[in-house]
């Protein structure tokens, strides 16, 4: 049904594979206020244009109002839960980004100052997917995308790995604090909004206390943009339009949480997926474009060959960095060896730190996909979960395999994933605590690096509700 979305790029719920499906409650439910008819309703007809007409015994014909879904409705509803709960709502589409760019362009052509500074942040996962599609390395893709986006009207292009570094550092601190105060364990990673949505809607207060309070890389980056760049340019935060390019549809929902807005100004105004960036490129031969530097928070241009890369896999490396830090700080093991032991394939693995006697001191795991997540939920609820930390991601194989990444009709899915992984890991890894990152950390009060999550109560479903 047509749910009254404002943009043709917006669409209804989308289920992909079994790992995306959480409950059989697929109906998208929203109450619709219906005007009282003058007579008894005898039938409802669907017009050719999709309009529904209500007819009564006295011959009156009235238009049945369309149900509209806002992002707040989606976040507050427990009628459906998927890892890619892709209600692409009004402020979360490529069309909105293009609209802002067009307004800026019109102002400049009229000899006026552009009303907003447009800042794009590019995730490493999206960059790798685009690079693989166009036969480029990650550094080449960054330089060519810098040329393309600046020519399109984007004022500032940033590497989102800066925000990731801050998120990793704060996650390390949070884990050590939790370990020294006795828990609760396991600490569950909070970087995946699909998993968070599932936890809030189906697990509630039984699971939420275990979830890490550290903001994701996307939201930390958003704070940096709205604070540091606005201050440097002498602009109000509301005059900065920040869109993030991400591998995941659920990041649209995360950006729109009220927790990530100050006085109505969101840290991330819009999220577009890797696929939408490719739509923006259209027929542009990216490989033939020149390469130019990208931008920095502080202002100076950065050579496109200088990119931040953090080890630990394509989901930002929370397990590896927290494990390494905790081993050093808590157990005086400066360089622990991480040995991944697969339990149920690559999507469920364990890493353990043992003392000289072989006694486990730290037990970590990664759990990707909802089959793995549901196994973890059962263990926690039955008191059989012995892990200290779990890197949880809704997508099987993690963020590099996100629902917003580019697919291929000619390359097998696993072959494409391997290629994207090779591109992603083709940059030398550096620790997250570089001098530049530590300087940026001083710009954000520590409490703002944390957030909290909320249980969503099941909705009552009276007969007056319309099910679409």
């Amino acid at each position: 049904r047509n749910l009254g979305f404002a943009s043709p790029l917006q669409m209804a719920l989308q289920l992909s594979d079994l790992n995306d499906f959480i409950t059989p409650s697929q109906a998208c439910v929203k109450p619709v206020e219906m005007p009282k008819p003058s007579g008894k309703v005898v039938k409802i007809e669907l017009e050719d244009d999709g309009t529904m007409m209500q007819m009564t015994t006295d011959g009156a014909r009235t238009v049945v109002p369309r149900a509209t879904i806002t992002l707040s409705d989606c976040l507050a509803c427990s009628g459906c839960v998927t890892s890619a709960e892709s209600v692409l709502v009004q402020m979360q589409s490529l069309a909105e980004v293009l609209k802002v760019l067009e307004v800026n362009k019109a102002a400049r052509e009229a000899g006026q100052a552009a009303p907003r500074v447009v800042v794009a942040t590019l995730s490493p996962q999206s960059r790798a997917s685009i690079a693989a599609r166009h036969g480029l390395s990650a550094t080449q893709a960054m330089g060519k995308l810098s040329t393309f986006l600046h020519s399109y009207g984007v004022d500032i292009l940033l590497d989102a790995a800066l925000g990731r570094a801050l998120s990793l550092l704060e996650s390390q601190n949070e884990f050590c604090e939790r370990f020294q105060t006795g828990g609760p364990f396991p600490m569950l990673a909070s970087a995946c909004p699909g998993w968070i949505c599932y936890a809030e809607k189906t697990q509630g207060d039984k699971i939420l206390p275990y979830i890490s309070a550290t903001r994701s890389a996307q939201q930390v980056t958003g704070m940096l943009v709205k604070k540091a760049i606005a201050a440097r340019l002498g602009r109000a935060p509301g005059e900065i339009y920040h869109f993030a390019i991400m591998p995941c549809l659920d990041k649209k929902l995360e950006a729109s949480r009220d927790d990530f807005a100050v006085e109505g100004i969101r840290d991330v105004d819009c999220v577009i997926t890797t696929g939408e960036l490719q739509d923006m490129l259209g027929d542009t031969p990216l490989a033939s474009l020149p390469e130019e530097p990208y931008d920095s928070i502080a202002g100076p241009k950065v050579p496109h060959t200088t990119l931040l890369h953090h080890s630990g896999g394509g989901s930002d490396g929370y397990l590896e960095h927290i494990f390494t830090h905790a081993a050093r700080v808590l157990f005086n093991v400066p360089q622990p060896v991480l040995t991944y032991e697969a339990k149920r394939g690559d999507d469920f693995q364990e890493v353990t730190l043992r003392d000289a006697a072989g006694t486990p001191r730290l037990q970590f795991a990664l759990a990707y996909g909802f089959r793995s997540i549901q196994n973890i939920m059962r263990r926690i609820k039955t008191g059989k979960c012995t892990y200290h930390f779990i890197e949880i991601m809704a997508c099987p194989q993690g963020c590099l395999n996100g629902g917003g990444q580019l697919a291929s009709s000619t390359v097998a899915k696993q072959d494409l994933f391997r290629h994207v992984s090779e591109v992603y890991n083709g940059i030398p890894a550096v620790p997250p605590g570089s001098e530049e990152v530590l300087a940026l950390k001083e710009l954000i009060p520590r409490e703002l690096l944390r957030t909290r999550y909320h249980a969503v109560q099941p909705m009552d479903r009276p007969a007056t509700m319309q099910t679409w």
Side-chain angles (χ1 to χ4, degrees):
R1 296 199 185 234
N2 189 329
L3 298 178
F5 288 117
S7 164
L9 293 175
Q10 297 158 0
M11 51 191 176
L13 298 180
Q14 185 177 7
L15 297 175
S16 60
D17 59 23
L18 181 61
N19 279 287
D20 279 337
F21 182 73
I22 304 307
T23 74
S25 181
Q26 297 181 57
C28 185
V29 180
K30 177 176 167 62
V32 180
E33 184 178 353
M34 301 286 289
K36 187 175 181 179
S38 56
K40 183 179 179 181
V41 176
V42 292
K43 63 179 177 177
I44 294 178
E45 289 186 347
L46 185 64
E47 302 292 299
D48 292 339
D49 63 356
T51 302
M52 288 184 290
M53 301 298 297
Q54 176 178 274
M55 289 174 286
T56 60
T57 52
D58 59 5
R61 288 169 56 88
T62 56
V63 176
V64 177
R66 291 174 174 175
T68 58
I69 296 177
T70 67
L71 195 51
S72 297
D73 294 328
C74 187
L75 291 172
C77 168
S78 60
C80 59
V81 181
T82 69
S83 72
E85 193 175 28
S86 53
V87 180
L88 306 185
V89 287
Q90 186 173 355
M91 299 307 293
Q92 293 292 332
S93 72
L94 176 58
E96 291 300 315
V97 174
L98 298 180
K99 187 186 301 181
V100 172
L101 291 172
E102 188 61 34
V103 169
N104 275 4
K105 180 181 177 182
R108 291 182 176 119
E109 289 176 348
Q112 301 170 355
R116 305 182 81 174
V117 177
V118 178
V119 179
T121 52
L122 178 61
S123 70
Q125 293 87 353
S126 293
R127 184 176 59 222
S129 184
I130 288 285
R133 165 65 63 88
H134 293 272
L136 303 169
S137 68
T139 53
Q140 288 172 330
M142 190 65 174
K144 294 175 187 296
L145 285 171
S146 180
T147 299
F148 172 78
L149 290 170
H150 284 132
S151 69
Y152 217 100
V154 172
D155 299 296
I156 296 173
L157 172 63
L158 299 174
D159 181 3
L162 279 172
R164 175 173 68 183
L166 288 173
S167 181
L168 288 171
L169 290 175
E170 188 59 26
S171 296
Q172 293 172 356
N173 293 334
E174 182 185 1
F175 177 82
C176 289
E177 290 171 6
R178 192 177 293 202
F179 193 93
Q180 291 165 339
T181 56
F185 292 120
M187 184 169 115
L188 305 174
S190 60
C192 172
W195 140 246
I196 292 298
C197 187
Y198 168 69
E200 289 183 321
K201 292 183 176 183
T202 69
Q203 305 300 311
D205 293 332
K206 293 180 181 178
I207 294 298
L208 295 186
Y210 297 96
I211 296 178
S212 166
T214 299
R215 294 191 184 210
S216 72
Q218 172 178 287
Q219 297 310 131
V220 172
T221 304
M223 279 196 297
L224 283 173
V225 168
K226 290 299 176 83
K227 289 181 178 295
I229 290 184
R232 174 168 65 82
L233 298 178
R235 304 289 290 264
E239 294 176 314
I240 308 294
Y241 185 82
H242 172 213
F243 73 96
I245 304 164
M246 303 299 291
C248 174
L249 288 163
D250 291 319
K251 287 293 183 181
K252 295 173 182 282
L253 294 173
E254 180 183 43
S256 301
R257 294 176 68 99
D258 290 338
D259 306 84
F260 301 137
V262 178
E263 297 180 353
I265 305 299
R266 298 196 181 280
D267 295 330
V268 181
D269 296 288
C270 186
V271 173
I272 66 171
T273 64
T274 314
E276 287 174 293
L277 175 59
Q278 180 59 44
D279 290 342
M280 194 175 180
L281 283 164
D283 296 329
T284 302
L286 186 63
S288 67
L289 295 183
E291 298 167 18
E292 68 174 45
Y294 62 98
D295 303 284
S296 68
I297 296 286
K301 294 285 186 178
V302 181
H304 67 276
T305 54
T306 305
L307 292 173
L308 277 181
H309 176 62
H310 305 113
S311 58
S315 299
D316 291 343
Y318 285 89
L319 182 153
E320 178 171 320
H321 289 280
I322 295 173
F323 185 92
T324 302
H325 180 78
R328 182 175 66 253
V329 172
L330 301 174
F331 297 100
N332 198 29
V333 180
Q335 292 182 320
V337 177
L338 280 79
T339 302
Y340 288 85
E341 183 180 355
K343 292 298 182 181
R344 288 174 179 81
D346 291 341
D347 282 340
F348 198 116
Q349 300 186 58
E350 294 180 354
V351 177
T352 304
L353 178 71
R354 300 180 184 275
D355 61 18
T359 303
R361 294 300 184 185
L362 290 174
Q363 293 181 282
F364 281 33
L366 62 79
Y368 293 171
F370 276 102
R371 292 186 183 92
S372 299
I373 290 173
Q374 289 165 344
N375 180 25
I376 292 296
M377 297 302 99
R378 285 192 294 270
R379 290 195 193 188
I380 293 176
K381 291 175 182 177
T382 58
K384 297 179 180 179
C385 188
T386 59
Y387 301 120
H388 293 100
F389 175 82
I390 305 174
E391 181 180 293
I392 289 186
M393 300 292 159
C395 291
Q397 298 180 306
C399 298
L400 280 178
N401 190 42
Q405 295 283 73
L406 298 179
S408 173
S409 59
T410 59
V411 180
K413 187 175 182 180
Q414 287 304 314
D415 292 338
L416 178 61
F417 178 77
R418 279 192 291 271
H419 185 196
V420 173
S421 298
E422 290 169 0
V423 173
Y424 178 85
N425 291 311
I427 305 170
V430 296
S434 67
E435 184 177 339
E436 178 187 13
V437 172
L438 293 177
L440 290 174
K441 191 176 182 181
E442 297 300 316
L443 300 176
I444 302 177
R446 189 174 181 188
E447 61 271 15
L448 294 184
L449 292 171
R450 307 274 180 103
T451 187
R452 62 193 187 95
Y453 300 98
H454 323 275
V456 177
Q457 299 302 321
M459 292 176 61
D460 295 325
R461 299 187 182 182
T464 54
M465 257 185 191
Q466 297 289 326
T467 301
W468 298 85

